[in-house]
Amino acid sequence: MREYKTAGSIRAGFEYQDLVAIETLIDFYRDRTRYAWVKVEAEDKGFRAIDDVVACRPDGRYELTQVKFAVDPQNDRTPLGWEWLLVKKPRGTSMLQKWFATTLAQHRAGTLASAKLRTGRIPDAGFAASLAGKHIDYDRVAAVMRARLEAEVGPAAELRLFFGLFEFHNSEPHRDDLAATLWARIASDTDSGGWALFQDQVAKWATRKNLPAPDGRIRYIHLQQAFAVERPTPIPQGFRVPDDYSVP
């Protein structure tokens, strides 16, 4: 386990989310035809609860990714399980309900390419027994849980459709390991300074409205600019001004 301060776990969570976005952006950088654009922390209502990374394919269909950072993946008190997915406030909506609604809405509109969860959480026994690869096999879900899902999320037929579409990517690499893997993928195109600047740029795209301008959509040109060898360097501020210098 990597230990975090209270605030550190929050920071690490956002950094992990940015790294998942960077993985998609590197894929885009390597193949300019793969996407038309990518958004980080998309605020469009149509994406709602699956909006951490939205990648639009050239045909207009979306790859939707929701990221959930695991502070301690080995902790058996915080697994990937039905209780975690269905927890909600008294008048709230569970994560699973939100993902269900967004996935099916995009599917019915003909705009869904994929929808997935990315997390380091490890499935508990009940959830693992229901998995078939990255998808839930509804027939493997315990009868008691199927009844609860149908009461809280939606009809059986729609649940089967949703689970056939939505992917659960679990037990993913730790933040530090993912960062090292991504750096290895891009090291031939930039130096450590450029990599640090790119990570900072992605953090800005994730937190500020309409960045990159004008609409917050990251296009191939933005990646070319971000990794350009000729990127501008700041003017050094440590030079000495002569005592007899006067402004012209």
Side-chain angles (χ1 to χ4, degrees), residues 20 34 52 100 139 153 163 189 199 216 228:
V20 172
R34 185 167 184 144
D52 289 338
F100 171 86
D139 291 325
V153 181
F163 287 129
D189 296 80
Q199 291 180 83

Short mmCIF file of all heavy atoms in Angstrom, two decimals, residues 20 34 52 100 139 153 163 189 199 216 228:
data_model
loop_
_atom_site.label_atom_id
_atom_site.label_comp_id
_atom_site.label_asym_id
_atom_site.label_seq_id
_atom_site.Cartn_x
_atom_site.Cartn_y
_atom_site.Cartn_z
N VAL A 20 -5.25 8.57 -17.01
CA VAL A 20 -6.13 7.77 -17.87
C VAL A 20 -6.48 8.57 -19.13
O VAL A 20 -6.51 8.03 -20.24
CB VAL A 20 -7.41 7.36 -17.11
CG1 VAL A 20 -8.41 6.70 -18.05
CG2 VAL A 20 -7.06 6.40 -15.97
N ARG A 34 -7.73 8.29 -35.38
CA ARG A 34 -8.46 7.51 -34.38
C ARG A 34 -9.65 8.28 -33.82
O ARG A 34 -10.72 7.71 -33.61
CB ARG A 34 -7.51 7.12 -33.26
CG ARG A 34 -8.16 6.20 -32.22
CD ARG A 34 -7.11 5.59 -31.32
NE ARG A 34 -7.70 4.65 -30.38
CZ ARG A 34 -7.11 3.54 -29.99
NH1 ARG A 34 -5.93 3.21 -30.48
NH2 ARG A 34 -7.70 2.73 -29.12
N ASP A 52 -15.52 11.52 -17.50
CA ASP A 52 -14.13 11.86 -17.16
C ASP A 52 -13.28 11.96 -18.41
O ASP A 52 -12.44 12.85 -18.53
CB ASP A 52 -13.56 10.81 -16.19
CG ASP A 52 -14.16 10.92 -14.80
OD1 ASP A 52 -14.68 12.00 -14.46
OD2 ASP A 52 -14.12 9.92 -14.05
N PHE A 100 -26.07 3.40 -16.07
CA PHE A 100 -27.12 2.68 -16.80
C PHE A 100 -27.89 3.66 -17.70
O PHE A 100 -28.07 3.41 -18.90
CB PHE A 100 -28.05 2.03 -15.76
CG PHE A 100 -29.31 1.42 -16.30
CD1 PHE A 100 -29.34 0.12 -16.79
CD2 PHE A 100 -30.51 2.14 -16.29
CE1 PHE A 100 -30.52 -0.45 -17.25
CE2 PHE A 100 -31.69 1.58 -16.74
CZ PHE A 100 -31.69 0.28 -17.24
N ASP A 139 -26.82 -13.64 -16.08
CA ASP A 139 -27.26 -14.95 -15.61
C ASP A 139 -26.42 -15.46 -14.45
O ASP A 139 -26.84 -16.34 -13.71
CB ASP A 139 -27.23 -15.97 -16.74
CG ASP A 139 -28.29 -15.69 -17.80
OD1 ASP A 139 -29.38 -15.22 -17.42
OD2 ASP A 139 -28.02 -15.91 -19.00
N VAL A 153 -32.56 -0.26 -10.36
CA VAL A 153 -31.90 0.25 -11.56
C VAL A 153 -32.81 0.22 -12.78
O VAL A 153 -33.04 1.24 -13.44
CB VAL A 153 -30.60 -0.52 -11.85
CG1 VAL A 153 -29.91 0.03 -13.10
CG2 VAL A 153 -29.65 -0.43 -10.65
N PHE A 163 -25.45 -4.31 -19.33
CA PHE A 163 -24.27 -5.08 -18.95
C PHE A 163 -23.54 -5.66 -20.16
O PHE A 163 -22.34 -5.95 -20.10
CB PHE A 163 -24.64 -6.19 -17.96
CG PHE A 163 -24.96 -5.69 -16.58
CD1 PHE A 163 -26.13 -6.07 -15.94
CD2 PHE A 163 -24.09 -4.84 -15.92
CE1 PHE A 163 -26.43 -5.61 -14.66
CE2 PHE A 163 -24.37 -4.38 -14.64
CZ PHE A 163 -25.54 -4.77 -14.01
N ASP A 189 9.44 11.05 -28.02
CA ASP A 189 8.91 12.25 -28.68
C ASP A 189 9.18 13.54 -27.90
O ASP A 189 8.96 14.63 -28.43
CB ASP A 189 7.40 12.11 -28.86
CG ASP A 189 7.03 10.97 -29.79
OD1 ASP A 189 7.04 9.81 -29.34
OD2 ASP A 189 6.77 11.25 -30.96
N GLN A 199 1.62 17.05 -18.86
CA GLN A 199 0.75 16.69 -17.75
C GLN A 199 0.07 17.93 -17.15
O GLN A 199 -1.12 17.90 -16.80
CB GLN A 199 1.55 15.96 -16.66
CG GLN A 199 2.02 14.58 -17.09
CD GLN A 199 2.82 13.89 -16.01
OE1 GLN A 199 2.26 13.30 -15.09
NE2 GLN A 199 4.14 13.98 -16.10
N GLY A 216 -13.15 23.46 -25.66
CA GLY A 216 -12.70 22.42 -24.75
C GLY A 216 -12.42 21.09 -25.42
O GLY A 216 -12.10 20.11 -24.74
N ALA A 228 5.59 19.55 -29.42
CA ALA A 228 6.54 20.14 -30.37
C ALA A 228 7.90 20.33 -29.72
O ALA A 228 8.02 20.81 -28.59
CB ALA A 228 6.01 21.48 -30.87
#
